[in-house]
Amino acid sequence: MDEVIAVTGATGRVGGRITRRLADEGVTVRALGRDAAKLAQLTAAETAQASYDDADAMRRALTGATTLFLCSAHEGPGRVGIHRAAVDAALAAGVRRIVYLSYLGAAPDATFTYARDHWHTEQYIRAAGVPFTFLRDSSYQSDLVAMTGDDGVLRGPAGDGRVAAVTHDDVADAATAVLLDGGTDGEASPHHAATYDLTGPEALSFAEIAATISRAAGRAVSYHPETRAEAYASRAVYGAPDWEVAGWVSSYEAVATGEMDVVSDAVRALTGRTPQSFADFLAAHPESYRRLLA
């Protein structure tokens, strides 16, 4: 059977990059997503409209695919169940390998509430009986800029903790390398049952992150280490559900506990090059902080 790699979340920031990279390599890519109009804009050989919670649509979309890149679903109380349904559909469709985009520090008792969902999803995939690879990415560098307020203050209960944030491009490059190396001549992929932590080249404190943004933007940017109470109060204005606010706040708290203070060599090992630093990312993407200049 010819290799067909199905990519979910193909219109998103990671899935879209992977879809383009695989297509450039001449691989038959089947791009999956929920928005038909966005799918039509992709360069993938095949597209299929499907959402994780529609088992029949997912099974049809994955029939004939040999490998599945499973991008995690949007956060929500039922996310683990949605992931399980997607895995079940893949197995029913005959998919032979799953590469799952997880999260750094995934554990049943992770401080970051969303990371717990990733651990439970990983366990379900482990029990599925097909070869798998887990890619646990750190926070995204672009999100660090997005978390900075228009007033130039980066707020959160991260204490003095550190995080080695990574770029979407580095994650996509690493994932593409794994997807392309599926094994040959009946041999299993060298990435079978592997878990890779995908991080940037250095772990920075939030004070250092603010200073780096400040130098790039040419304006004062500072870090205010909130207490938990302050963090919940400052985010109450958004009117978000409790589970979502808990996710926002606990993402900082996971930095404070040291759970995000991980610098991995996986991006370099998989891609052959050093991952991009935060300062270099800002230099290459001035649009990421343009709103701070207004």
mmCIF file with all atom_site columns, all heavy atoms in Angstrom, residues 107-133:
data_model
loop_
_atom_site.group_PDB
_atom_site.id
_atom_site.type_symbol
_atom_site.label_atom_id
_atom_site.label_alt_id
_atom_site.label_comp_id
_atom_site.label_asym_id
_atom_site.label_entity_id
_atom_site.label_seq_id
_atom_site.pdbx_PDB_ins_code
_atom_site.Cartn_x
_atom_site.Cartn_y
_atom_site.Cartn_z
_atom_site.occupancy
_atom_site.B_iso_or_equiv
_atom_site.pdbx_formal_charge
_atom_site.auth_seq_id
_atom_site.auth_comp_id
_atom_site.auth_asym_id
_atom_site.auth_atom_id
_atom_site.pdbx_PDB_model_num
ATOM 1   N N   . ALA A 1 107 ? 1.016   14.593 32.317 1.00 0.00 ? 107 ALA A N   1
ATOM 2   C CA  . ALA A 1 107 ? 0.986   13.680 33.467 1.00 0.00 ? 107 ALA A CA  1
ATOM 3   C C   . ALA A 1 107 ? -0.406  13.743 34.085 1.00 0.00 ? 107 ALA A C   1
ATOM 4   O O   . ALA A 1 107 ? -1.114  14.748 33.939 1.00 0.00 ? 107 ALA A O   1
ATOM 5   C CB  . ALA A 1 107 ? 2.041   14.068 34.506 1.00 0.00 ? 107 ALA A CB  1
ATOM 6   N N   . PRO A 1 108 ? -0.804  12.686 34.796 1.00 0.00 ? 108 PRO A N   1
ATOM 7   C CA  . PRO A 1 108 ? -2.155  12.692 35.377 1.00 0.00 ? 108 PRO A CA  1
ATOM 8   C C   . PRO A 1 108 ? -2.325  13.747 36.459 1.00 0.00 ? 108 PRO A C   1
ATOM 9   O O   . PRO A 1 108 ? -3.450  14.178 36.734 1.00 0.00 ? 108 PRO A O   1
ATOM 10  C CB  . PRO A 1 108 ? -2.291  11.272 35.952 1.00 0.00 ? 108 PRO A CB  1
ATOM 11  C CG  . PRO A 1 108 ? -0.882  10.823 36.192 1.00 0.00 ? 108 PRO A CG  1
ATOM 12  C CD  . PRO A 1 108 ? -0.087  11.437 35.071 1.00 0.00 ? 108 PRO A CD  1
ATOM 13  N N   . ASP A 1 109 ? -1.210  14.182 37.067 1.00 0.00 ? 109 ASP A N   1
ATOM 14  C CA  . ASP A 1 109 ? -1.281  15.194 38.118 1.00 0.00 ? 109 ASP A CA  1
ATOM 15  C C   . ASP A 1 109 ? -0.540  16.467 37.734 1.00 0.00 ? 109 ASP A C   1
ATOM 16  O O   . ASP A 1 109 ? -0.082  17.212 38.604 1.00 0.00 ? 109 ASP A O   1
ATOM 17  C CB  . ASP A 1 109 ? -0.707  14.631 39.420 1.00 0.00 ? 109 ASP A CB  1
ATOM 18  C CG  . ASP A 1 109 ? 0.738   14.138 39.254 1.00 0.00 ? 109 ASP A CG  1
ATOM 19  O OD1 . ASP A 1 109 ? 1.222   14.088 38.100 1.00 0.00 ? 109 ASP A OD1 1
ATOM 20  O OD2 . ASP A 1 109 ? 1.373   13.802 40.274 1.00 0.00 ? 109 ASP A OD2 1
ATOM 21  N N   . ALA A 1 110 ? -0.415  16.725 36.443 1.00 0.00 ? 110 ALA A N   1
ATOM 22  C CA  . ALA A 1 110 ? 0.274   17.927 35.983 1.00 0.00 ? 110 ALA A CA  1
ATOM 23  C C   . ALA A 1 110 ? -0.396  19.174 36.546 1.00 0.00 ? 110 ALA A C   1
ATOM 24  O O   . ALA A 1 110 ? -1.622  19.230 36.695 1.00 0.00 ? 110 ALA A O   1
ATOM 25  C CB  . ALA A 1 110 ? 0.275   17.985 34.455 1.00 0.00 ? 110 ALA A CB  1
ATOM 26  N N   . THR A 1 111 ? 0.401   20.173 36.852 1.00 0.00 ? 111 THR A N   1
ATOM 27  C CA  . THR A 1 111 ? -0.151  21.434 37.348 1.00 0.00 ? 111 THR A CA  1
ATOM 28  C C   . THR A 1 111 ? -1.027  22.092 36.287 1.00 0.00 ? 111 THR A C   1
ATOM 29  O O   . THR A 1 111 ? -2.128  22.573 36.581 1.00 0.00 ? 111 THR A O   1
ATOM 30  C CB  . THR A 1 111 ? 0.984   22.385 37.761 1.00 0.00 ? 111 THR A CB  1
ATOM 31  O OG1 . THR A 1 111 ? 1.726   21.790 38.832 1.00 0.00 ? 111 THR A OG1 1
ATOM 32  C CG2 . THR A 1 111 ? 0.430   23.724 38.221 1.00 0.00 ? 111 THR A CG2 1
ATOM 33  N N   . PHE A 1 112 ? -0.552  22.105 35.072 1.00 0.00 ? 112 PHE A N   1
ATOM 34  C CA  . PHE A 1 112 ? -1.311  22.657 33.951 1.00 0.00 ? 112 PHE A CA  1
ATOM 35  C C   . PHE A 1 112 ? -2.454  21.700 33.632 1.00 0.00 ? 112 PHE A C   1
ATOM 36  O O   . PHE A 1 112 ? -2.235  20.563 33.219 1.00 0.00 ? 112 PHE A O   1
ATOM 37  C CB  . PHE A 1 112 ? -0.392  22.836 32.750 1.00 0.00 ? 112 PHE A CB  1
ATOM 38  C CG  . PHE A 1 112 ? -1.034  23.426 31.527 1.00 0.00 ? 112 PHE A CG  1
ATOM 39  C CD1 . PHE A 1 112 ? -2.063  24.354 31.608 1.00 0.00 ? 112 PHE A CD1 1
ATOM 40  C CD2 . PHE A 1 112 ? -0.590  23.060 30.262 1.00 0.00 ? 112 PHE A CD2 1
ATOM 41  C CE1 . PHE A 1 112 ? -2.638  24.900 30.475 1.00 0.00 ? 112 PHE A CE1 1
ATOM 42  C CE2 . PHE A 1 112 ? -1.156  23.604 29.117 1.00 0.00 ? 112 PHE A CE2 1
ATOM 43  C CZ  . PHE A 1 112 ? -2.186  24.518 29.227 1.00 0.00 ? 112 PHE A CZ  1
ATOM 44  N N   . THR A 1 113 ? -3.666  22.142 33.821 1.00 0.00 ? 113 THR A N   1
ATOM 45  C CA  . THR A 1 113 ? -4.814  21.239 33.714 1.00 0.00 ? 113 THR A CA  1
ATOM 46  C C   . THR A 1 113 ? -4.947  20.612 32.335 1.00 0.00 ? 113 THR A C   1
ATOM 47  O O   . THR A 1 113 ? -5.324  19.448 32.204 1.00 0.00 ? 113 THR A O   1
ATOM 48  C CB  . THR A 1 113 ? -6.109  21.977 34.079 1.00 0.00 ? 113 THR A CB  1
ATOM 49  O OG1 . THR A 1 113 ? -6.230  23.162 33.272 1.00 0.00 ? 113 THR A OG1 1
ATOM 50  C CG2 . THR A 1 113 ? -6.105  22.389 35.545 1.00 0.00 ? 113 THR A CG2 1
ATOM 51  N N   . TYR A 1 114 ? -4.629  21.374 31.278 1.00 0.00 ? 114 TYR A N   1
ATOM 52  C CA  . TYR A 1 114 ? -4.759  20.819 29.931 1.00 0.00 ? 114 TYR A CA  1
ATOM 53  C C   . TYR A 1 114 ? -3.748  19.701 29.684 1.00 0.00 ? 114 TYR A C   1
ATOM 54  O O   . TYR A 1 114 ? -3.992  18.799 28.863 1.00 0.00 ? 114 TYR A O   1
ATOM 55  C CB  . TYR A 1 114 ? -4.556  21.903 28.875 1.00 0.00 ? 114 TYR A CB  1
ATOM 56  C CG  . TYR A 1 114 ? -5.560  23.031 28.896 1.00 0.00 ? 114 TYR A CG  1
ATOM 57  C CD1 . TYR A 1 114 ? -5.315  24.208 28.194 1.00 0.00 ? 114 TYR A CD1 1
ATOM 58  C CD2 . TYR A 1 114 ? -6.759  22.941 29.606 1.00 0.00 ? 114 TYR A CD2 1
ATOM 59  C CE1 . TYR A 1 114 ? -6.231  25.256 28.202 1.00 0.00 ? 114 TYR A CE1 1
ATOM 60  C CE2 . TYR A 1 114 ? -7.667  23.982 29.618 1.00 0.00 ? 114 TYR A CE2 1
ATOM 61  C CZ  . TYR A 1 114 ? -7.399  25.142 28.918 1.00 0.00 ? 114 TYR A CZ  1
ATOM 62  O OH  . TYR A 1 114 ? -8.303  26.175 28.923 1.00 0.00 ? 114 TYR A OH  1
ATOM 63  N N   . ALA A 1 115 ? -2.588  19.742 30.358 1.00 0.00 ? 115 ALA A N   1
ATOM 64  C CA  . ALA A 1 115 ? -1.572  18.705 30.179 1.00 0.00 ? 115 ALA A CA  1
ATOM 65  C C   . ALA A 1 115 ? -2.066  17.356 30.676 1.00 0.00 ? 115 ALA A C   1
ATOM 66  O O   . ALA A 1 115 ? -1.590  16.308 30.227 1.00 0.00 ? 115 ALA A O   1
ATOM 67  C CB  . ALA A 1 115 ? -0.280  19.099 30.890 1.00 0.00 ? 115 ALA A CB  1
ATOM 68  N N   . ARG A 1 116 ? -3.024  17.365 31.590 1.00 0.00 ? 116 ARG A N   1
ATOM 69  C CA  . ARG A 1 116 ? -3.601  16.099 32.070 1.00 0.00 ? 116 ARG A CA  1
ATOM 70  C C   . ARG A 1 116 ? -4.378  15.418 30.945 1.00 0.00 ? 116 ARG A C   1
ATOM 71  O O   . ARG A 1 116 ? -4.332  14.192 30.802 1.00 0.00 ? 116 ARG A O   1
ATOM 72  C CB  . ARG A 1 116 ? -4.515  16.368 33.267 1.00 0.00 ? 116 ARG A CB  1
ATOM 73  C CG  . ARG A 1 116 ? -3.816  17.063 34.437 1.00 0.00 ? 116 ARG A CG  1
ATOM 74  C CD  . ARG A 1 116 ? -4.806  17.498 35.500 1.00 0.00 ? 116 ARG A CD  1
ATOM 75  N NE  . ARG A 1 116 ? -4.217  18.458 36.411 1.00 0.00 ? 116 ARG A NE  1
ATOM 76  C CZ  . ARG A 1 116 ? -4.900  19.132 37.335 1.00 0.00 ? 116 ARG A CZ  1
ATOM 77  N NH1 . ARG A 1 116 ? -6.224  18.938 37.454 1.00 0.00 ? 116 ARG A NH1 1
ATOM 78  N NH2 . ARG A 1 116 ? -4.283  19.990 38.126 1.00 0.00 ? 116 ARG A NH2 1
ATOM 79  N N   . ASP A 1 117 ? -5.091  16.208 30.154 1.00 0.00 ? 117 ASP A N   1
ATOM 80  C CA  . ASP A 1 117 ? -5.819  15.650 29.007 1.00 0.00 ? 117 ASP A CA  1
ATOM 81  C C   . ASP A 1 117 ? -4.866  14.930 28.065 1.00 0.00 ? 117 ASP A C   1
ATOM 82  O O   . ASP A 1 117 ? -5.178  13.859 27.533 1.00 0.00 ? 117 ASP A O   1
ATOM 83  C CB  . ASP A 1 117 ? -6.526  16.764 28.225 1.00 0.00 ? 117 ASP A CB  1
ATOM 84  C CG  . ASP A 1 117 ? -7.656  17.417 28.990 1.00 0.00 ? 117 ASP A CG  1
ATOM 85  O OD1 . ASP A 1 117 ? -8.079  16.856 30.013 1.00 0.00 ? 117 ASP A OD1 1
ATOM 86  O OD2 . ASP A 1 117 ? -8.105  18.496 28.557 1.00 0.00 ? 117 ASP A OD2 1
ATOM 87  N N   . HIS A 1 118 ? -3.703  15.530 27.849 1.00 0.00 ? 118 HIS A N   1
ATOM 88  C CA  . HIS A 1 118 ? -2.728  14.932 26.933 1.00 0.00 ? 118 HIS A CA  1
ATOM 89  C C   . HIS A 1 118 ? -2.224  13.594 27.470 1.00 0.00 ? 118 HIS A C   1
ATOM 90  O O   . HIS A 1 118 ? -2.042  12.641 26.706 1.00 0.00 ? 118 HIS A O   1
ATOM 91  C CB  . HIS A 1 118 ? -1.564  15.892 26.701 1.00 0.00 ? 118 HIS A CB  1
ATOM 92  C CG  . HIS A 1 118 ? -1.920  17.073 25.863 1.00 0.00 ? 118 HIS A CG  1
ATOM 93  N ND1 . HIS A 1 118 ? -2.173  16.970 24.515 1.00 0.00 ? 118 HIS A ND1 1
ATOM 94  C CD2 . HIS A 1 118 ? -2.076  18.382 26.180 1.00 0.00 ? 118 HIS A CD2 1
ATOM 95  C CE1 . HIS A 1 118 ? -2.458  18.174 24.032 1.00 0.00 ? 118 HIS A CE1 1
ATOM 96  N NE2 . HIS A 1 118 ? -2.418  19.037 25.019 1.00 0.00 ? 118 HIS A NE2 1
ATOM 97  N N   . TRP A 1 119 ? -2.002  13.517 28.765 1.00 0.00 ? 119 TRP A N   1
ATOM 98  C CA  . TRP A 1 119 ? -1.525  12.252 29.341 1.00 0.00 ? 119 TRP A CA  1
ATOM 99  C C   . TRP A 1 119 ? -2.563  11.157 29.142 1.00 0.00 ? 119 TRP A C   1
ATOM 100 O O   . TRP A 1 119 ? -2.222  10.037 28.741 1.00 0.00 ? 119 TRP A O   1
ATOM 101 C CB  . TRP A 1 119 ? -1.232  12.420 30.838 1.00 0.00 ? 119 TRP A CB  1
ATOM 102 C CG  . TRP A 1 119 ? -0.649  11.183 31.446 1.00 0.00 ? 119 TRP A CG  1
ATOM 103 C CD1 . TRP A 1 119 ? 0.666   10.817 31.478 1.00 0.00 ? 119 TRP A CD1 1
ATOM 104 C CD2 . TRP A 1 119 ? -1.372  10.135 32.112 1.00 0.00 ? 119 TRP A CD2 1
ATOM 105 N NE1 . TRP A 1 119 ? 0.812   9.608  32.122 1.00 0.00 ? 119 TRP A NE1 1
ATOM 106 C CE2 . TRP A 1 119 ? -0.427  9.169  32.520 1.00 0.00 ? 119 TRP A CE2 1
ATOM 107 C CE3 . TRP A 1 119 ? -2.718  9.929  32.407 1.00 0.00 ? 119 TRP A CE3 1
ATOM 108 C CZ2 . TRP A 1 119 ? -0.790  8.007  33.200 1.00 0.00 ? 119 TRP A CZ2 1
ATOM 109 C CZ3 . TRP A 1 119 ? -3.087  8.780  33.071 1.00 0.00 ? 119 TRP A CZ3 1
ATOM 110 C CH2 . TRP A 1 119 ? -2.129  7.834  33.465 1.00 0.00 ? 119 TRP A CH2 1
ATOM 111 N N   . HIS A 1 120 ? -3.825  11.455 29.416 1.00 0.00 ? 120 HIS A N   1
ATOM 112 C CA  . HIS A 1 120 ? -4.878  10.444 29.265 1.00 0.00 ? 120 HIS A CA  1
ATOM 113 C C   . HIS A 1 120 ? -5.017  10.025 27.799 1.00 0.00 ? 120 HIS A C   1
ATOM 114 O O   . HIS A 1 120 ? -5.259  8.849  27.499 1.00 0.00 ? 120 HIS A O   1
ATOM 115 C CB  . HIS A 1 120 ? -6.206  10.984 29.796 1.00 0.00 ? 120 HIS A CB  1
ATOM 116 C CG  . HIS A 1 120 ? -6.259  11.070 31.293 1.00 0.00 ? 120 HIS A CG  1
ATOM 117 N ND1 . HIS A 1 120 ? -6.265  9.952  32.104 1.00 0.00 ? 120 HIS A ND1 1
ATOM 118 C CD2 . HIS A 1 120 ? -6.271  12.146 32.123 1.00 0.00 ? 120 HIS A CD2 1
ATOM 119 C CE1 . HIS A 1 120 ? -6.305  10.330 33.376 1.00 0.00 ? 120 HIS A CE1 1
ATOM 120 N NE2 . HIS A 1 120 ? -6.311  11.652 33.416 1.00 0.00 ? 120 HIS A NE2 1
ATOM 121 N N   . THR A 1 121 ? -4.847  10.975 26.882 1.00 0.00 ? 121 THR A N   1
ATOM 122 C CA  . THR A 1 121 ? -4.885  10.633 25.459 1.00 0.00 ? 121 THR A CA  1
ATOM 123 C C   . THR A 1 121 ? -3.722  9.731  25.093 1.00 0.00 ? 121 THR A C   1
ATOM 124 O O   . THR A 1 121 ? -3.884  8.750  24.350 1.00 0.00 ? 121 THR A O   1
ATOM 125 C CB  . THR A 1 121 ? -4.858  11.907 24.602 1.00 0.00 ? 121 THR A CB  1
ATOM 126 O OG1 . THR A 1 121 ? -5.990  12.729 24.930 1.00 0.00 ? 121 THR A OG1 1
ATOM 127 C CG2 . THR A 1 121 ? -4.909  11.565 23.116 1.00 0.00 ? 121 THR A CG2 1
ATOM 128 N N   . GLU A 1 122 ? -2.541  10.054 25.596 1.00 0.00 ? 122 GLU A N   1
ATOM 129 C CA  . GLU A 1 122 ? -1.371  9.209  25.340 1.00 0.00 ? 122 GLU A CA  1
ATOM 130 C C   . GLU A 1 122 ? -1.608  7.776  25.804 1.00 0.00 ? 122 GLU A C   1
ATOM 131 O O   . GLU A 1 122 ? -1.271  6.808  25.101 1.00 0.00 ? 122 GLU A O   1
ATOM 132 C CB  . GLU A 1 122 ? -0.140  9.764  26.053 1.00 0.00 ? 122 GLU A CB  1
ATOM 133 C CG  . GLU A 1 122 ? 0.426   11.028 25.453 1.00 0.00 ? 122 GLU A CG  1
ATOM 134 C CD  . GLU A 1 122 ? 1.679   11.499 26.156 1.00 0.00 ? 122 GLU A CD  1
ATOM 135 O OE1 . GLU A 1 122 ? 2.099   10.838 27.141 1.00 0.00 ? 122 GLU A OE1 1
ATOM 136 O OE2 . GLU A 1 122 ? 2.253   12.513 25.735 1.00 0.00 ? 122 GLU A OE2 1
ATOM 137 N N   . GLN A 1 123 ? -2.196  7.629  26.981 1.00 0.00 ? 123 GLN A N   1
ATOM 138 C CA  . GLN A 1 123 ? -2.431  6.277  27.507 1.00 0.00 ? 123 GLN A CA  1
ATOM 139 C C   . GLN A 1 123 ? -3.398  5.498  26.613 1.00 0.00 ? 123 GLN A C   1
ATOM 140 O O   . GLN A 1 123 ? -3.241  4.289  26.408 1.00 0.00 ? 123 GLN A O   1
ATOM 141 C CB  . GLN A 1 123 ? -2.976  6.350  28.945 1.00 0.00 ? 123 GLN A CB  1
ATOM 142 C CG  . GLN A 1 123 ? -2.054  7.046  29.926 1.00 0.00 ? 123 GLN A CG  1
ATOM 143 C CD  . GLN A 1 123 ? -0.618  6.583  29.812 1.00 0.00 ? 123 GLN A CD  1
ATOM 144 O OE1 . GLN A 1 123 ? -0.314  5.406  29.988 1.00 0.00 ? 123 GLN A OE1 1
ATOM 145 N NE2 . GLN A 1 123 ? 0.289   7.506  29.513 1.00 0.00 ? 123 GLN A NE2 1
ATOM 146 N N   . TYR A 1 124 ? -4.378  6.201  26.082 1.00 0.00 ? 124 TYR A N   1
ATOM 147 C CA  . TYR A 1 124 ? -5.345  5.536  25.210 1.00 0.00 ? 124 TYR A CA  1
ATOM 148 C C   . TYR A 1 124 ? -4.677  5.082  23.919 1.00 0.00 ? 124 TYR A C   1
ATOM 149 O O   . TYR A 1 124 ? -4.931  3.973  23.419 1.00 0.00 ? 124 TYR A O   1
ATOM 150 C CB  . TYR A 1 124 ? -6.502  6.489  24.899 1.00 0.00 ? 124 TYR A CB  1
ATOM 151 C CG  . TYR A 1 124 ? -7.720  5.791  24.336 1.00 0.00 ? 124 TYR A CG  1
ATOM 152 C CD1 . TYR A 1 124 ? -8.557  5.046  25.164 1.00 0.00 ? 124 TYR A CD1 1
ATOM 153 C CD2 . TYR A 1 124 ? -8.036  5.874  22.976 1.00 0.00 ? 124 TYR A CD2 1
ATOM 154 C CE1 . TYR A 1 124 ? -9.671  4.401  24.653 1.00 0.00 ? 124 TYR A CE1 1
ATOM 155 C CE2 . TYR A 1 124 ? -9.149  5.233  22.466 1.00 0.00 ? 124 TYR A CE2 1
ATOM 156 C CZ  . TYR A 1 124 ? -9.962  4.490  23.309 1.00 0.00 ? 124 TYR A CZ  1
ATOM 157 O OH  . TYR A 1 124 ? -11.060 3.838  22.798 1.00 0.00 ? 124 TYR A OH  1
ATOM 158 N N   . ILE A 1 125 ? -3.809  5.918  23.387 1.00 0.00 ? 125 ILE A N   1
ATOM 159 C CA  . ILE A 1 125 ? -3.088  5.550  22.162 1.00 0.00 ? 125 ILE A CA  1
ATOM 160 C C   . ILE A 1 125 ? -2.136  4.390  22.431 1.00 0.00 ? 125 ILE A C   1
ATOM 161 O O   . ILE A 1 125 ? -2.006  3.463  21.613 1.00 0.00 ? 125 ILE A O   1
ATOM 162 C CB  . ILE A 1 125 ? -2.337  6.768  21.598 1.00 0.00 ? 125 ILE A CB  1
ATOM 163 C CG1 . ILE A 1 125 ? -3.335  7.828  21.128 1.00 0.00 ? 125 ILE A CG1 1
ATOM 164 C CG2 . ILE A 1 125 ? -1.411  6.363  20.448 1.00 0.00 ? 125 ILE A CG2 1
ATOM 165 C CD1 . ILE A 1 125 ? -2.696  9.147  20.728 1.00 0.00 ? 125 ILE A CD1 1
ATOM 166 N N   . ARG A 1 126 ? -1.463  4.410  23.574 1.00 0.00 ? 126 ARG A N   1
ATOM 167 C CA  . ARG A 1 126 ? -0.564  3.305  23.936 1.00 0.00 ? 126 ARG A CA  1
ATOM 168 C C   . ARG A 1 126 ? -1.299  1.965  23.934 1.00 0.00 ? 126 ARG A C   1
ATOM 169 O O   . ARG A 1 126 ? -0.761  0.935  23.527 1.00 0.00 ? 126 ARG A O   1
ATOM 170 C CB  . ARG A 1 126 ? 0.027   3.532  25.327 1.00 0.00 ? 126 ARG A CB  1
ATOM 171 C CG  . ARG A 1 126 ? 1.115   4.575  25.406 1.00 0.00 ? 126 ARG A CG  1
ATOM 172 C CD  . ARG A 1 126 ? 1.658   4.678  26.819 1.00 0.00 ? 126 ARG A CD  1
ATOM 173 N NE  . ARG A 1 126 ? 2.617   5.749  26.956 1.00 0.00 ? 126 ARG A NE  1
ATOM 174 C CZ  . ARG A 1 126 ? 3.903   5.668  26.646 1.00 0.00 ? 126 ARG A CZ  1
ATOM 175 N NH1 . ARG A 1 126 ? 4.378   4.514  26.189 1.00 0.00 ? 126 ARG A NH1 1
ATOM 176 N NH2 . ARG A 1 126 ? 4.709   6.694  26.802 1.00 0.00 ? 126 ARG A NH2 1
ATOM 177 N N   . ALA A 1 127 ? -2.534  1.999  24.399 1.00 0.00 ? 127 ALA A N   1
ATOM 178 C CA  . ALA A 1 127 ? -3.316  0.761  24.512 1.00 0.00 ? 127 ALA A CA  1
ATOM 179 C C   . ALA A 1 127 ? -3.970  0.356  23.202 1.00 0.00 ? 127 ALA A C   1
ATOM 180 O O   . ALA A 1 127 ? -4.577  -0.723 23.120 1.00 0.00 ? 127 ALA A O   1
ATOM 181 C CB  . ALA A 1 127 ? -4.399  0.933  25.588 1.00 0.00 ? 127 ALA A CB  1
ATOM 182 N N   . ALA A 1 128 ? -3.835  1.195  22.162 1.00 0.00 ? 128 ALA A N   1
ATOM 183 C CA  . ALA A 1 128 ? -4.535  0.931  20.903 1.00 0.00 ? 128 ALA A CA  1
ATOM 184 C C   . ALA A 1 128 ? -3.907  -0.190 20.091 1.00 0.00 ? 128 ALA A C   1
ATOM 185 O O   . ALA A 1 128 ? -4.555  -0.756 19.206 1.00 0.00 ? 128 ALA A O   1
ATOM 186 C CB  . ALA A 1 128 ? -4.589  2.208  20.064 1.00 0.00 ? 128 ALA A CB  1
ATOM 187 N N   . GLY A 1 129 ? -2.626  -0.479 20.344 1.00 0.00 ? 129 GLY A N   1
ATOM 188 C CA  . GLY A 1 129 ? -1.986  -1.598 19.660 1.00 0.00 ? 129 GLY A CA  1
ATOM 189 C C   . GLY A 1 129 ? -1.356  -1.282 18.326 1.00 0.00 ? 129 GLY A C   1
ATOM 190 O O   . GLY A 1 129 ? -1.019  -2.192 17.571 1.00 0.00 ? 129 GLY A O   1
ATOM 191 N N   . VAL A 1 130 ? -1.198  0.027  18.007 1.00 0.00 ? 130 VAL A N   1
ATOM 192 C CA  . VAL A 1 130 ? -0.524  0.416  16.760 1.00 0.00 ? 130 VAL A CA  1
ATOM 193 C C   . VAL A 1 130 ? 0.730   1.201  17.128 1.00 0.00 ? 130 VAL A C   1
ATOM 194 O O   . VAL A 1 130 ? 0.806   1.807  18.200 1.00 0.00 ? 130 VAL A O   1
ATOM 195 C CB  . VAL A 1 130 ? -1.428  1.276  15.855 1.00 0.00 ? 130 VAL A CB  1
ATOM 196 C CG1 . VAL A 1 130 ? -2.629  0.471  15.378 1.00 0.00 ? 130 VAL A CG1 1
ATOM 197 C CG2 . VAL A 1 130 ? -1.879  2.538  16.575 1.00 0.00 ? 130 VAL A CG2 1
ATOM 198 N N   . PRO A 1 131 ? 1.738   1.213  16.244 1.00 0.00 ? 131 PRO A N   1
ATOM 199 C CA  . PRO A 1 131 ? 2.926   2.029  16.504 1.00 0.00 ? 131 PRO A CA  1
ATOM 200 C C   . PRO A 1 131 ? 2.543   3.497  16.715 1.00 0.00 ? 131 PRO A C   1
ATOM 201 O O   . PRO A 1 131 ? 1.633   4.003  16.063 1.00 0.00 ? 131 PRO A O   1
ATOM 202 C CB  . PRO A 1 131 ? 3.767   1.843  15.238 1.00 0.00 ? 131 PRO A CB  1
ATOM 203 C CG  . PRO A 1 131 ? 3.350   0.507  14.711 1.00 0.00 ? 131 PRO A CG  1
ATOM 204 C CD  . PRO A 1 131 ? 1.877   0.425  14.991 1.00 0.00 ? 131 PRO A CD  1
ATOM 205 N N   . PHE A 1 132 ? 3.247   4.150  17.614 1.00 0.00 ? 132 PHE A N   1
ATOM 206 C CA  . PHE A 1 132 ? 2.918   5.540  17.933 1.00 0.00 ? 132 PHE A CA  1
ATOM 207 C C   . PHE A 1 132 ? 4.185   6.320  18.263 1.00 0.00 ? 132 PHE A C   1
ATOM 208 O O   . PHE A 1 132 ? 5.223   5.742  18.604 1.00 0.00 ? 132 PHE A O   1
ATOM 209 C CB  . PHE A 1 132 ? 1.965   5.601  19.136 1.00 0.00 ? 132 PHE A CB  1
ATOM 210 C CG  . PHE A 1 132 ? 2.580   5.076  20.409 1.00 0.00 ? 132 PHE A CG  1
ATOM 211 C CD1 . PHE A 1 132 ? 3.338   5.902  21.233 1.00 0.00 ? 132 PHE A CD1 1
ATOM 212 C CD2 . PHE A 1 132 ? 2.426   3.745  20.778 1.00 0.00 ? 132 PHE A CD2 1
ATOM 213 C CE1 . PHE A 1 132 ? 3.922   5.402  22.396 1.00 0.00 ? 132 PHE A CE1 1
ATOM 214 C CE2 . PHE A 1 132 ? 3.009   3.246  21.934 1.00 0.00 ? 132 PHE A CE2 1
ATOM 215 C CZ  . PHE A 1 132 ? 3.750   4.084  22.741 1.00 0.00 ? 132 PHE A CZ  1
ATOM 216 N N   . THR A 1 133 ? 4.057   7.634  18.156 1.00 0.00 ? 133 THR A N   1
ATOM 217 C CA  . THR A 1 133 ? 5.090   8.565  18.598 1.00 0.00 ? 133 THR A CA  1
ATOM 218 C C   . THR A 1 133 ? 4.384   9.753  19.232 1.00 0.00 ? 133 THR A C   1
ATOM 219 O O   . THR A 1 133 ? 3.391   10.243 18.703 1.00 0.00 ? 133 THR A O   1
ATOM 220 C CB  . THR A 1 133 ? 5.956   9.062  17.431 1.00 0.00 ? 133 THR A CB  1
ATOM 221 O OG1 . THR A 1 133 ? 6.482   7.949  16.713 1.00 0.00 ? 133 THR A OG1 1
ATOM 222 C CG2 . THR A 1 133 ? 7.111   9.926  17.942 1.00 0.00 ? 133 THR A CG2 1
#
